[in-house]
Amino acid sequence: DTEVTQTPKHLVMGMTNKKSLKCEQHMGHRAMYWYKQKAKKPPELMFVYSYEKLSINESVPSRFSPECPNSSLLNLHLHALQPEDSALYLCASSQDGFEAFFGQGTRLTVV
Amino acid sequence: SQQGEEDPQALSIQEGENATMNCSYKTSINNLQWYRQNSGRGLVHLILIRSNEREKHSGRLRVTLDTSKKSSSLLITASRAADTASYFCATDAPNTGGFKTIFGAGTRLFVKA
């Protein structure tokens, strides 16, 4: 199984809502990532969990908070988002820090 | 900040032609990777080249790396309509042990049938 599964595929939320994005992999990878991608732009790294240690891109606002319940799951909790947070959110995993496997993404729209 | 910059930003070619995309980066790297992304979907890893390698092949793909110029190129030979996608180079951010991959701006390739 070389798949990274993200749910939901699409999400529309209001600025006062709380929602969560989910990501799962069963490849035994020790690193999982959240990326944000705006249209016609490259993915921007938001968070990395590697060997159960969290690394944060310090430009990411606190309305995004990651959670790693176990080595196969990675969640991204969303709270009080802004319209400019609308984007494609990509989850990825890797074993050695290279050759990342990506999920198909969650298309998020904040209204 | 982006580690890699790519050119051209967009490329349109006929099926059967070769497509060449270039990537430049700013700091020393351990390796460089290329990914493909079909419209609005996840990225797919294509190839990794290590800093001590100069050229690598995988099927119709050829990647070169020039660490003295801090640049890499991706050549797709005998392109097909199915190669239409965005292509990104990616490097490991400095001093991060390889767990922080930074993507370049990407080249959007359109292959006309």
Side-chain angles (χ1 to χ4, degrees):
Chain A
D1 183 1
T2 57
E3 222 174 63
V4 174
T5 304
Q6 287 188 243
T7 56
K9 287 187 170 52
H10 300 274
L11 178 63
V12 179
M13 61 185 289
M15 289 188 282
T16 58
N17 291 161
K18 284 185 183 180
K19 296 285 185 182
S20 297
L21 308 184
K22 298 185 185 300
C23 176
E24 188 169 9
Q25 57 90 11
H26 294 289
M27 294 175 277
H29 287 170
R30 300 307 302 269
M32 295 185 75
Y33 312 77
W34 280 114
Y35 283 86
K36 173 184 176 182
Q37 186 178 27
K38 302 284 273 185
K40 298 184 180 179
K41 296 290 187 182
E44 290 180 65
L45 185 62
M46 300 175 73
F47 305 102
V48 181
Y49 269 97
S50 61
Y51 294 90
E52 298 169 8
K53 184 179 175 185
L54 173 64
S55 296
I56 299 171
N57 179 342
E58 294 185 0
S59 68
V60 176
S62 60
R63 54 186 183 265
F64 295 91
S65 59
E67 178 200 13
C68 195
N70 60 55
S71 59
S72 299
L73 293 172
L74 184 65
N75 299 322
L76 184 63
H77 301 299
L78 315 173
H79 174 54
L81 295 193
Q82 302 297 309
E84 61 263 28
D85 296 322
S86 298
L88 181 68
Y89 288 84
L90 293 162
C91 175
S93 70
S94 70
Q95 178 57 22
D96 56 4
F98 312 119
E99 191 176 356
F101 289 77
F102 280 80
Q104 292 302 298
T106 294
R107 176 73 60 188
L108 174 67
T109 303
V110 181
V111 297
Chain B
S1 61
Q2 292 176 20
Q3 168 78 318
E5 297 294 333
E6 282 152 276
D7 79 271
Q9 289 187 333
L11 180 61
S12 181
I13 59 174
Q14 291 291 140
E15 206 167 30
E17 294 180 338
N18 295 342
T20 299
M21 290 159 267
N22 303 297
C23 167
S24 60
Y25 55 91
K26 297 174 184 172
T27 63
S28 62
I29 59 171
N30 294 319
N31 60 69
L32 185 143
Q33 305 175 72
W34 285 89
Y35 286 82
R36 184 187 76 221
Q37 184 178 35
N38 289 84
S39 180
R41 301 181 67 79
L43 284 80
V44 175
H45 185 267
L46 295 176
I47 197 166
L48 179 151
I49 186 165
R50 301 193 185 282
S51 59
N52 61 354
E53 297 176 308
R54 291 297 166 257
E55 187 171 313
K56 201 161 183 180
H57 297 252
S58 177
R60 293 184 296 113
L61 306 180
R62 182 174 80 103
V63 169
T64 62
L65 179 64
D66 187 335
T67 53
S68 66
K69 295 181 180 177
K70 293 187 169 59
S71 68
S72 173
S73 67
L74 171 68
L75 168 67
I76 303 174
T77 60
S79 63
R80 305 166 183 168
D83 295 328
T84 294
S86 292
Y87 292 82
F88 296 93
C89 68
T91 55
D92 47 311
N95 304 315
T96 60
F99 285 97
K100 290 185 181 177
T101 299
I102 305 298
F103 287 85
T107 293
R108 284 181 285 128
L109 174 66
F110 181 65
V111 181
K112 293 177 279 189

